[in-house]
Amino acid sequence: MLLVVVVMCVVLFAFLAGGLWIGWTLAVTGTVLLALFRDIPLDKLLAQYTWNILTTQELLALPLFILMGEILFRTRLSQSLFRGLAPWAAFLPGRLLHVNVIGCTIFAAISGSSAATTQVVGRISLAELLKRGYSKDVAVGSLAGAGTLGFLIPPSNIMIIYGVLGDVSIAKLFTAGFIPGFLLAGCFMAWIMIHTALKPSLVPESERKLRIASRAEYLNSIRELGPAVFLILCVLGSMYGGLATPSDAAGVGVAGALLVARLQGALGLQALRSIAIGAVQTCSMIALIVLGASILGSAAAFLGIPAAVAEFVTSLGLSPFMLIVALIVFYLILGCFLDGFSMIVMTLPIVMPIVKAAGFDPIWFGIFLVLVVEMAQITPPVGFNLFVIQGLTEDGLGYIARVTLPYLIIMILFTMMITLVPDIALWLPRYLAS
């Protein structure tokens, strides 16, 4: 067994170091393992895996949510969110800095993507906050941290991948993400309040005094938030109202996004071409990663690697809490080199049996995985949210990572909290099922 694990690691990291795409790396590694250690007809087996995985019904929601994100990226939703949230955020210590967190929370309930959430909200909010004199450190840091909520608050692309690979109900995963997602957003906002209370200079002097907006401003803000609320009702309302499955709800969301884009005049011929190309490229990349992970995971299962690793970890005698601490450290290190999708598909076949043997609920573990993937989004040198913000601000990755550090620490502490109190994630799906 040791020889099998050594060969797997050598082949995997050799191809990764050689710059081969992660999807191909996973697929080739699994194929090499089966060719070396099992005498089976690989051509028929690989064809069967390809068909079974890429025609999985639960995966249908993924390209639809990606298409929805591509459509919304080309609308004026970011401007509407900022204008709609500004009068309400003025009540809170830190004032408009909360627009980043609240805006990301709202858009996360529409898009399912962390990068799209960061890009859409940051495209307007950063420029507005800096123009008004708010601290750049807090504006950039809060955007990077809150942008990760796109993976935790449903609908979530990462949850769909985990649900398919881990054979876990996607609807229950979505339900489990609500309370942790809103609590984490609340933690980010609490830190902004504390930080700005300790350092009032982070907020421009002209905006430190409480200003109550007029009735006309509140009415206008409600109108500005209308498209976002409409899309949330389309996706989550249809799903939790019992009218649609997650895949159906994604289709309803695409129709709603097309309607919003059409009403905003953002559906020109060039825009449609860009939407189609962007959606196809992203879907193809993710499909290749999922297929490669399936091949590697099946090869590992054939060779008994997950069972052997689970037996080894069990022999260490780690308590469940220490096992989770070890996994957090492991994923933080892995997140420095791999994106979130790759982290999950590479490690799930090995890690899932271990956490099940330790007695953790697969629904809870899905939320845990989403949280550690969120951390990977803001850890250099491969933190994807850092690259998105670098594209918006042209600042160095070191600076962006430094101002994002408080939000990373909050996420680590929050992950510890849901480990100690798993009902934070499990209460809602259990309540709805009863």
Side-chain angles (χ1 to χ4, degrees):
M1 182 56 63
L2 180 60
L3 176 62
V4 175
V5 174
V6 169
V7 170
M8 181 182 73
C9 293
V10 169
V11 174
L12 185 65
F13 290 106
F15 281 116
L16 284 176
L20 189 66
W21 289 354
I22 184 68
W24 285 117
T25 296
L26 297 173
V28 170
T29 303
T31 304
V32 168
L33 289 177
L34 290 174
L36 291 177
F37 298 103
R38 284 290 184 273
D39 184 17
I40 53 179
L42 282 179
D43 54 344
K44 296 179 181 178
L45 190 67
L46 294 178
Q48 180 183 349
Y49 282 159
T50 302
W51 174 259
N52 290 345
I53 288 298
L54 297 185
T55 58
T56 302
Q57 185 176 359
E58 289 80 2
L59 269 181
L60 180 60
L62 189 59
L64 290 173
F65 280 126
I66 290 170
L67 176 60
M68 182 179 171
E70 288 288 337
I71 295 168
L72 294 178
F73 179 69
R74 289 162 178 83
T75 66
R76 297 195 300 274
L77 197 64
S78 53
Q79 296 96 316
S80 298
L81 277 176
F82 190 91
R83 290 195 295 262
L85 293 173
W88 305 95
F91 282 106
L92 301 170
R95 302 297 184 265
L96 296 185
L97 290 169
H98 294 285
V99 169
N100 273 343
V101 180
I102 302 173
C104 286
T105 303
I106 292 174
F107 194 78
I110 301 171
S111 72
S113 166
S114 173
T117 299
T118 306
Q119 179 85 359
V120 169
V121 175
R123 191 167 50 174
I124 295 298
S125 69
L126 279 183
E128 283 291 330
L129 290 173
L130 297 180
K131 184 174 71 175
R132 294 170 185 244
Y134 283 86
S135 164
K136 184 177 184 179
D137 290 3
V138 184
V140 171
S142 61
L143 176 64
T148 63
L149 294 170
F151 281 156
L152 186 56
I153 296 175
S156 164
N157 293 341
I158 284 285
M159 288 184 186
I160 295 172
I161 296 295
Y162 172 79
V164 170
L165 295 180
D167 194 23
V168 180
S169 167
I170 294 173
K172 289 183 178 178
L173 282 170
F174 281 1
T175 305
F178 273 111
I179 293 178
F182 291 120
L183 281 179
L184 184 57
C187 291
F188 290 154
M189 293 176 67
W191 167 245
I192 292 173
M193 293 181 197
I194 294 169
H195 197 186
T196 53
L198 294 175
K199 293 184 67 176
S201 60
L202 298 175
V203 177
E205 189 173 355
S206 60
E207 301 206 11
R208 290 177 199 169
K209 293 181 181 180
L210 176 64
R211 187 185 75 85
I212 300 176
S214 66
R215 179 182 297 181
E217 287 177 303
Y218 283 126
L219 290 174
N220 184 63
S221 73
I222 293 172
R223 187 174 67 252
E224 293 285 1
L225 292 174
V229 174
F230 167 71
L231 290 169
I232 291 173
L233 290 175
C234 283
V235 178
L236 300 182
S238 63
M239 187 162 51
Y240 290 104
L243 302 175
T245 66
S247 298
D248 296 333
V252 174
V254 170
L258 286 170
L259 179 60
V260 169
R262 180 68 182 89
L263 293 175
Q264 292 185 348
L267 272 187
L269 197 59
Q270 182 60 39
L272 286 172
R273 182 176 181 274
S274 300
I275 289 168
I277 292 174
V280 168
Q281 287 177 336
T282 305
C283 291
S284 301
M285 176 193 69
I286 294 175
L288 183 59
I289 291 174
V290 172
L291 175 59
S294 173
I295 293 172
L296 179 58
S298 299
F302 264 119
L303 299 171
I305 295 175
V309 173
E311 184 180 346
F312 170 72
V313 173
T314 303
S315 69
L316 296 177
L318 294 175
S319 67
F321 182 77
M322 288 308 300
L323 173 62
I324 291 301
V325 171
L327 286 175
I328 290 175
V329 174
F330 168 70
Y331 278 111
L332 278 175
I333 295 172
L334 203 61
C336 294
F337 308 100
L338 295 173
D339 65 277
F341 281 104
S342 303
M343 284 169 56
I344 286 183
V345 299
M346 281 182 63
T347 62
L348 194 60
I350 307 289
V351 174
M352 193 69 157
I354 297 173
V355 297
K356 282 185 176 179
F360 289 104
D361 188 292
I363 298 290
W364 176 89
F365 185 63
I367 301 304
F368 167 82
L369 262 188
V370 170
L371 283 167
V372 294
V373 166
E374 286 184 342
M375 297 177 203
Q377 293 290 105
I378 53 176
T379 53
V382 190
F384 202 73
N385 278 23
L386 304 182
F387 287 114
V388 172
I389 293 177
Q390 185 181 43
L392 294 171
T393 65
E394 298 184 357
D395 290 315
L397 284 178
Y399 165 77
I400 300 171
R402 178 175 61 80
V403 298
T404 308
L405 183 60
Y407 302 90
L408 176 61
I409 294 172
I410 289 171
M411 292 168 70
I412 294 172
L413 295 175
F414 186 82
T415 305
M416 296 291 191
M417 185 173 71
I418 70 161
T419 303
L420 295 172
V421 190
D423 273 356
I424 292 173
L426 295 177
W427 176 80
L428 189 56
R430 190 186 301 130
Y431 173 79
L432 293 178
S434 63

